[in-house]
Amino acid sequence: MSDAFWIIGTGFLVAASCGLLGVFLLLKKVTMIGDAISHSVLPGIVIAVMLSGSLSSIWVFIGAGLAGFVAVLIIDLLKNKFKLQNDASLGLTFTVMFALGVVLISSYVGDVHIDQECVLYGEITFLPLSESVVWNGKELGPKTFFNLLGNFVLVGIMLIFFFKEFKVSSFDPGFSALSGIGPHRYHLLLLGLVSLTTVASFEAVGSILVVSFLVGPPLAAYQISRNLSQMLVFTLGFGLLASIFGYFFALKLNSSISASMALFSGIIFALIYLIKGLFLSNWNPFMKRDVVESGFFEP
Amino acid sequence: MSLTSSLAGTFVFLRKESLLGDVLSHAVFPGVCISFLIAGEKDNFVILIGATITGIIAISLIQYLGNKPKVKQDAALAFVLSTFFALGIVILAYMQNLGISGQSGLETFLFGSAASILLEDFWFFIPAFILVLTLFGLFYKELKLVSFDRKFGIISGISSRTTDMVIGIMALLAIVTGIQAMGVVLMASLMIIPPAIGRTMSVTLKKMIIIAMLTASLGSIAGTYFSSTMTGAPTGPWIVLFLGCIAIIAFIFSPTRGLISRRISALRQETKIRSEHILKSMYKGQEDGKMPEFKGSKDSRGLNSLRTKGLVERVEGRFRLTESGREEGRRLVRLHRLWELYLTKKMGIQADHVHEDADSVEHIISGDVEELLLEVLDHPQKDPHDQEIPYGK
């Protein structure tokens, strides 16, 4: 398996997991929470790395999970006990936690290669050189890849299993509450999955670029999808495209691969938006086919 | 720097658009990168232009996309933030790999480094602050109005687009001033935390702004000092941490809205209600001969409060209403029954539903409301439960 395969594959897994979850964040109009979560988990990751000495251990997930939990607690505390407004509670909590994380990194002198730049944009370039998973004495591939694969599978299973529930609670929370499907429960589940995915993606793309994958492909898919399933499929497709194009662009330009992939997530949306606006302005995904075919309505 | 940011940040905060500050500060990053690319070194002027251009593009994009039905505000914010920042990183990495000399200076823009600020930078900082101050002074009334009540502002003829632009410019100036010390990633917190602290600690806008500016300066100075004594420590995060600590202290100890004062006033309120209920039950006890029993710490707190006010006296180990206590009790019972009558007669509510409501409302009916009630109900004699409404002398 060539290096390109592992790198693009890892990028795709990040884009795919984030994208699938990002679809629901987008529909609920809470995309910025993804940004907040990815910032907040940093101190948890750093502390876990400091204690466990490795970037890919299970402790990282636990630490980050705890950090995410603490963040939610603090935000809730600020909003309800201190009556601080929603956006400020969010902003305050995640910036302070992120600052804490950065300070911890800068004061930490250790074995593990973790530094400020890593936090920002990960080290997907070094992926093929990093620790590998060994099975039956054969080197299977980079550990991060499999972490992300596992994460992707988890996200996929959750979405398939709870598809109905996620769908209803995202589109119509009131109705879902009446139908016995507690929207709050699934909202928390969604945010939990986002936290998990952020952590899994940390080594590959760092803390901040994750947001691109959470918003870019879903936003692009949203423009041209007729229903939720279409949107999810398109998101996966766009995630793949972003990974591929990002990889080759970065190689050509000799720049950061993860950042390029993130950049392309956004570019794809821009392209779709422009194409739709300039050439297909009379078309929308909900148009009935026979209306178009009758020739009466020209796209 | 901190003064500029806290000033601009106050209005952003009030408009509940704090996340916008976050997005903008990330979004100016590619502008900074490009200017490094062009200038080959840290040239404040070029950086300023680059950041401003990118900032304006970002603001316009957010406005434009935010209004599109298929995008909406939160997605627009997230999109601009991530894509612009990714672009910046791509450029940064490109420069790093090419070994362009200026790029290490560029890196300091990520997390801030007060050490990299030179004296000549002040030639920019000070005018920027003055400009923000000027805008602030010129538009104070309009900004204040629009931030608190946008619709009223529009009706009053204040162009919301202009004020939006003014706030945007102020925010942009603040950001461009601050990113060198704070770094792009954490700049937003300087615009969020000090105003939040100011808000907690005061009720008027003027005080809020002053407190915000003070705390911002305090935090920045402390953070800068601290980080400079440690090698390799970026300034931005330390400033944020200090601000966070100040915020925690403010939230707990703030005189009006802080946790402690809230608890105290809630306790006081509870005692007041409890003692008024005690008065009522003692009065009613005199009416129908059934003396009420009091137990528990809350009751004794209420009784003590009544004693201090001279409404109740202790005789032979038992409690008795004084003359003024009797009057007060009578007043409360009267208000209670009047309110019950009002609810049943004028609001059409069933007689067995009105007691609880009256129990709460009786504490807040003032003299003039009482007058109104008497008028509306035509000086009644009996309440819905056929009890007499006591008037006394």
Side-chain angles (χ1 to χ4, degrees):
Chain A
M1 300 289 191
S2 72
D3 288 353
F5 172 76
W6 291 117
I7 297 183
I8 295 183
T10 309
F12 171 64
L13 286 175
V14 171
S17 321
C18 292
L20 290 179
L21 295 172
V23 164
F24 293 99
L25 290 179
L26 185 64
L27 290 171
K28 291 174 181 229
K29 310 195 208 328
V30 290
T31 5
M32 283 302 271
I33 291 192
D35 184 45
I37 293 181
S38 65
H39 281 68
S40 310
V41 297
L42 183 66
I45 294 180
V46 178
I47 294 180
V49 168
M50 279 166 67
L51 292 178
S52 76
S54 141
L55 201 52
S56 317
S57 68
I58 191 77
W59 291 108
V60 176
F61 282 90
I62 297 181
L66 280 176
F69 190 59
V70 167
V72 169
L73 278 182
I74 298 180
I75 294 177
D76 225 49
L77 191 72
L78 287 174
K79 277 205 304 204
N80 297 328
K81 273 239 141 137
F82 296 119
K83 308 284 183 226
L84 190 62
Q85 60 208 48
N86 195 24
D87 60 322
S89 319
L90 211 64
L92 200 150
T93 312
F94 81 76
T95 42
V96 172
M97 288 187 74
F98 192 72
L100 183 64
V102 176
V103 162
L104 285 173
I105 290 181
S106 69
S107 12
Y108 174 59
V109 179
D111 264 345
V112 183
H113 188 193
I114 180 171
D115 63 5
Q116 296 166 25
E117 271 76 42
C118 172
V119 162
L120 290 181
Y121 49 79
E123 292 184 330
I124 204 171
T125 326
F126 297 119
L127 200 64
L129 304 173
S130 66
E131 207 181 316
S132 271
V133 170
V134 180
W135 200 42
N136 279 355
K138 239 193 350 182
E139 256 196 34
L140 276 183
K143 199 161 177 202
T144 319
F145 180 82
F146 286 101
N147 277 343
L148 280 167
L149 186 61
N151 183 60
F152 178 63
V153 168
L154 178 66
V155 171
I157 292 181
M158 284 286 159
L159 285 181
I160 293 176
F161 202 59
F162 291 117
F163 187 67
K164 248 187 15 248
E165 288 83 352
F166 274 119
K167 186 173 178 178
V168 171
S169 57
S170 304
F171 280 109
D172 194 346
F175 175 69
S176 116
L178 285 174
S179 312
I181 297 173
H184 191 59
R185 213 178 304 157
Y186 289 96
H187 187 67
L188 285 180
L189 180 59
L190 182 67
L191 293 185
L193 287 172
V194 171
S195 309
L196 222 57
T197 308
T198 312
V199 178
S201 317
F202 179 73
E203 220 187 334
V205 296
S207 266
I208 308 188
L209 292 177
V210 223
V211 188
S212 307
F213 300 109
L214 279 173
V215 69
L219 200 53
Y222 191 40
Q223 310 299 314
I224 59 176
S225 311
R226 195 178 301 160
N227 57 45
L228 183 59
S229 316
Q230 264 192 9
M231 189 170 166
L232 290 167
V233 171
F234 276 123
T235 304
L236 287 177
F238 290 137
L240 183 61
L241 284 177
S243 311
I244 297 178
F245 278 105
Y247 176 73
F248 287 109
F249 180 76
L251 281 194
K252 193 86 197 284
L253 199 63
N254 196 11
S255 175
S256 156
I257 297 181
S258 40
S260 303
M261 291 180 174
L263 183 61
F264 268 91
S265 304
I267 291 183
I268 290 181
F269 163 68
L271 280 177
I272 298 270
Y273 190 78
L274 283 173
I275 294 178
K276 200 173 155 215
L278 292 177
F279 302 113
L280 298 172
S281 48
N282 283 335
W283 175 84
N284 76 63
F286 301 103
M287 232 180 259
K288 297 278 181 209
R289 278 223 191 88
D290 41 278
V291 176
V292 177
E293 275 165 359
S294 71
F296 176 73
F297 199 77
E298 275 154 346
Chain B
M1 159 196 82
S2 43
L3 298 176
T4 328
S5 322
S6 43
L7 198 55
T10 311
F11 289 110
V12 176
F13 175 84
L14 286 173
R15 288 156 65 101
K16 309 203 186 301
E17 286 177 354
S18 304
L19 289 180
L20 181 69
D22 189 35
V23 176
L24 271 185
S25 48
H26 283 75
V28 301
F29 185 56
V32 176
C33 294
I34 294 178
S35 53
F36 258 84
L37 205 55
I38 297 179
E41 53 161 13
K42 182 187 133 184
D43 182 337
N44 260 333
F45 193 55
V46 186
I47 292 179
L48 158 67
I49 296 188
T52 315
I53 295 180
T54 338
I56 295 181
I57 298 178
I59 296 183
S60 330
L61 256 186
I62 295 176
Q63 293 268 45
Y64 174 72
L65 284 176
N67 288 328
K68 293 292 163 202
K70 277 277 187 183
V71 180
K72 285 166 262 182
Q73 243 228 336
D74 68 305
L77 286 173
F79 169 71
V80 170
L81 189 161
S82 54
T83 312
F84 273 59
F85 191 73
L87 177 63
I89 301 275
V90 169
I91 300 178
L92 172 66
Y94 167 70
M95 286 172 63
Q96 275 178 335
N97 292 335
L98 276 188
I100 296 180
S101 59
Q103 48 91 354
S104 61
L106 181 56
E107 273 170 24
T108 62
F109 275 85
L110 281 171
F111 288 113
S113 159
S116 70
I117 297 180
L118 308 166
L119 197 59
E120 56 200 30
D121 294 333
F122 276 88
W123 282 122
F124 172 66
F125 292 165
I126 298 183
F129 177 58
I130 295 182
L131 186 58
V132 172
L133 209 56
T134 323
L135 282 174
F136 177 70
L138 280 177
F139 290 99
Y140 180 64
K141 277 204 311 284
E142 287 83 353
L143 288 175
K144 183 175 176 176
L145 187 57
V146 172
S147 303
F148 281 110
D149 192 341
R150 197 187 171 89
K151 296 195 178 112
F152 183 62
I154 298 180
I155 298 177
S156 306
I158 299 174
S159 157
S160 62
R161 295 243 341 241
T162 323
T163 25
D164 279 352
M165 212 164 51
V166 170
I167 295 185
I169 295 178
M170 286 171 75
L172 201 55
L173 279 172
I175 290 175
V176 174
T177 318
I179 43 176
Q180 242 194 303
M182 288 290 294
V184 162
V185 177
L186 292 163
M187 180 63 218
S189 36
L190 200 58
M191 289 176 45
I192 299 180
I193 305 186
I197 297 178
R199 177 79 190 94
T200 316
M201 301 212 52
S202 82
V203 192
T204 56
L205 183 61
K206 284 207 182 73
K207 272 202 220 132
M208 174 179 164
I209 295 180
I210 294 179
I211 294 181
M213 288 169 82
L214 278 176
T215 36
S217 321
L218 193 64
S220 319
I221 295 177
T224 316
Y225 178 71
F226 214 74
S227 69
S228 57
T229 60
M230 297 169 56
T231 42
T235 334
W238 279 105
I239 297 183
V240 175
L241 283 183
F242 271 103
L243 286 176
C245 291
I246 300 179
I248 295 179
I249 298 178
F251 287 148
I252 298 183
F253 292 105
S254 162
T256 26
R257 288 160 67 95
L259 196 62
I260 294 189
S261 20
R262 256 195 239 264
R263 283 265 168 83
I264 294 180
S265 60
L267 203 63
R268 246 185 243 145
Q269 184 75 351
E270 202 198 302
T271 313
K272 172 173 181 271
I273 294 181
R274 177 69 56 146
S275 31
E276 290 189 350
H277 278 164
I278 293 176
L279 272 181
K280 251 186 20 187
S281 36
M282 285 177 80
Y283 184 85
K284 283 202 281 206
Q286 291 201 323
E287 269 188 350
D288 50 23
K290 282 188 271 186
M291 284 312 289
E293 267 194 29
F294 300 118
K295 45 184 164 214
S297 62
K298 289 199 185 132
D299 277 345
S300 52
R301 245 203 307 269
L303 283 167
N304 280 328
S305 146
L306 288 172
R307 274 172 72 198
T308 7
K309 291 197 199 142
L311 296 172
V312 145
E313 59 194 357
R314 197 172 181 145
V315 167
E316 288 160 13
R318 293 166 47 156
F319 288 94
R320 197 176 68 184
L321 286 173
T322 61
E323 197 47 51
S324 31
R326 202 168 304 138
E327 242 180 75
E328 183 67 12
R330 182 169 28 231
R331 182 185 79 95
L332 285 166
V333 169
R334 176 168 68 241
L335 290 176
H336 180 102
R337 293 178 181 163
L338 277 176
W339 189 252
E340 285 191 338
L341 196 60
Y342 178 75
L343 287 178
T344 47
K345 268 195 136 170
K346 298 285 176 182
M347 302 292 271
I349 302 181
Q350 299 280 12
D352 48 355
H353 284 13
V354 298
H355 176 70
E356 265 158 36
D357 197 70
D359 245 358
S360 326
V361 176
E362 70 202 2
H363 307 283
I364 55 177
I365 297 181
S366 62
D368 29 356
V369 177
E370 190 186 338
E371 298 259 338
L372 272 171
L373 274 176
L374 287 172
E375 234 183 86
V376 163
L377 295 171
D378 205 18
H379 298 271
Q381 293 301 322
K382 298 238 171 153
D383 80 350
H385 305 110
D386 220 28
Q387 293 169 299
E388 233 190 80
I389 297 185
Y391 286 103
K393 31 210 167 347

